[in-house]
Amino acid sequence: MRFDLVTLNLVLAIAETRSITRAADREHLALAAASKRLKDLETRLGVQLFERRARGVEPTEAGRALVRHIRSLNASLHALESEVVEFSRGIKGHLRIAANAAAIAEALPADLATFSREHPQIRISLEDMTSANVQSAVAEGRADVGVFAPPLVDQRLATWPYRAGELAVVLPQGHALARARGGLRFDALLDCDMVGLHIGASVHELMLQRALERGRTLNARLQVRGFDAIAQLVGEGLGVAVLPAVVAERFAKLFAIQVRPLDEPWARRRYLLAAQAQEVLPAVVQRFIDLLAGLAAASESTAPLTGANP
């Protein structure tokens, strides 16, 4: 069965505008022609794609499935066009990476620099997303590679182990918990106001889950975007926070905060590399994953032994 892009984009427009009339106008089609295209497509597929409701048309389950595939197709076509155009500029590929904030702050910069030095003709773009959004972006073709913190929730992905990171507790200077020696248990934080990232961020979701397991709630007083904002707010005494240890130690040199290890098994996290599950990966994606996974493995094999949990 063959599909034409005009009809597929019309279906997408109908889904987004909830109107055949507005969709036809957006796609520069006569209303009669748009209606015929939709009817012919439904006849060929043998399913109804839209239902008429009081407030417009709504996609059926089959319609929503088709729209997901159209969006993925459009993303692939856009990537194809961008990559082919870049060949004329001497660039031999374009790698779109989506990663969560912690992975960007803890691990990626040096590894991206290594990859760029070895492949100077491959252009890299990097977007900061939550771990859940990273997975959907890769699965739907809006990104070529993802880096995120588990759990893996999208089974359309193939994953590879990447680097490990530690979480730490960030406290205002002089805070009562800062007097304790060694690490802090998560229970000790549940009576405190928390400063953290927005809903959907992996650390926030992890703490929510652990609090619920204890029958407690998380006192999320302030939620912001950016680790630097969290460190500044903690430094002003507005709460405590849990951040990647590398990031926390970096900000301890700039703001009035103290850092303590988080004494929990889940405080040590392993980031994952992800790509769409397919038999053969695009060459540039395979090179990137091979390099980063290899760098991570080499780093672990040469790291000194500590008392940390594996």
Side-chain angles (χ1 to χ4, degrees):
M1 182 179 293
R2 294 184 178 181
F3 297 95
D4 68 273
L5 291 177
V6 174
T7 301
L8 293 181
N9 284 328
L10 173 65
V11 170
L12 182 60
I14 295 171
E16 291 177 347
T17 64
R18 296 296 192 269
S19 166
I20 297 176
T21 301
R22 289 195 294 271
D25 184 61
R26 190 174 99 173
E27 297 302 311
H28 308 290
L29 295 169
L31 178 58
S35 298
K36 186 176 186 305
R37 281 180 176 272
L38 177 60
K39 183 177 180 180
D40 289 347
L41 180 60
E42 290 179 325
T43 300
R44 289 167 60 196
L45 293 174
V47 294
Q48 184 178 356
L49 298 175
F50 295 93
E51 295 177 340
R52 284 182 168 77
R53 303 280 179 85
R55 296 185 177 180
V57 296
E58 292 288 336
T60 62
E61 190 66 31
R64 285 192 290 271
L66 180 58
V67 166
R68 285 196 302 272
H69 286 290
I70 294 171
R71 285 181 172 141
S72 177
L73 174 62
N74 281 345
S76 297
L77 289 173
H78 177 72
L80 182 153
E81 181 183 12
S82 298
E83 190 165 338
V84 170
V85 167
E86 285 172 348
F87 274 94
S88 67
R89 303 172 186 166
I91 297 173
K92 301 303 183 184
H94 179 196
L95 187 66
R96 300 166 300 157
I97 304 168
N100 73 331
I104 294 172
E106 285 193 282
L108 269 176
D111 290 347
L112 289 181
T114 299
F115 182 81
S116 291
R117 285 193 297 271
E118 294 190 11
H119 303 281
Q121 293 177 310
I122 295 175
R123 186 165 71 86
I124 294 174
S125 59
L126 174 63
E127 188 170 356
D128 177 356
M129 300 180 181
T130 66
S131 286
N133 288 340
V134 167
Q135 295 181 55
S136 60
V138 176
E140 294 168 7
R142 291 180 282 115
D144 303 306
V145 181
V147 186
F148 66 94
L152 173 67
V153 297
D154 197 313
Q155 300 306 313
R156 295 173 291 176
L157 302 179
T159 61
W160 297 261
Y162 183 42
R163 295 188 182 272
E166 299 273 357
L167 294 175
V169 181
V170 181
L171 306 161
Q173 286 187 355
H175 193 279
L177 292 177
R179 300 171 194 152
R181 293 185 177 182
L184 294 172
R185 301 305 300 268
F186 183 59
D187 288 342
L189 307 182
L190 291 175
D191 293 325
C192 303
D193 288 331
M194 301 291 295
V195 181
L197 292 174
H198 50 90
I199 294 173
S202 60
V203 174
H204 178 79
E205 297 300 317
L206 181 59
M207 291 194 296
L208 274 179
Q209 179 184 347
R210 299 310 181 196
L212 287 173
E213 290 172 357
R214 292 162 168 78
R216 302 286 301 276
T217 57
L218 196 66
N219 298 324
R221 181 181 182 187
L222 297 168
Q223 291 178 279
V224 296
R225 290 185 177 272
F227 293 138
D228 56 339
I230 293 174
Q232 291 182 68
L233 291 168
V234 172
E236 294 297 330
L238 293 174
V240 305
V242 173
L243 291 178
V246 171
V247 177
E249 294 293 349
R250 189 181 305 152
F251 285 130
K253 300 175 183 178
L254 302 174
F255 306 116
I257 59 174
Q258 293 178 265
V259 180
R260 293 289 183 272
L262 179 61
D263 186 14
E264 296 287 347
W266 48 268
R268 182 173 174 81
R269 306 187 298 166
R270 158 98 43 201
Y271 297 110
L272 296 176
L273 298 166
Q276 283 186 345
Q278 50 192 308
E279 290 187 11
V280 179
L281 292 174
V284 64
V285 173
Q286 189 68 64
R287 288 177 189 173
F288 182 79
I289 289 173
D290 288 346
L291 177 65
L292 264 67
L295 289 172
S299 176
E300 287 196 358
S301 66
T302 58
L305 294 176
T306 68
N309 292 329

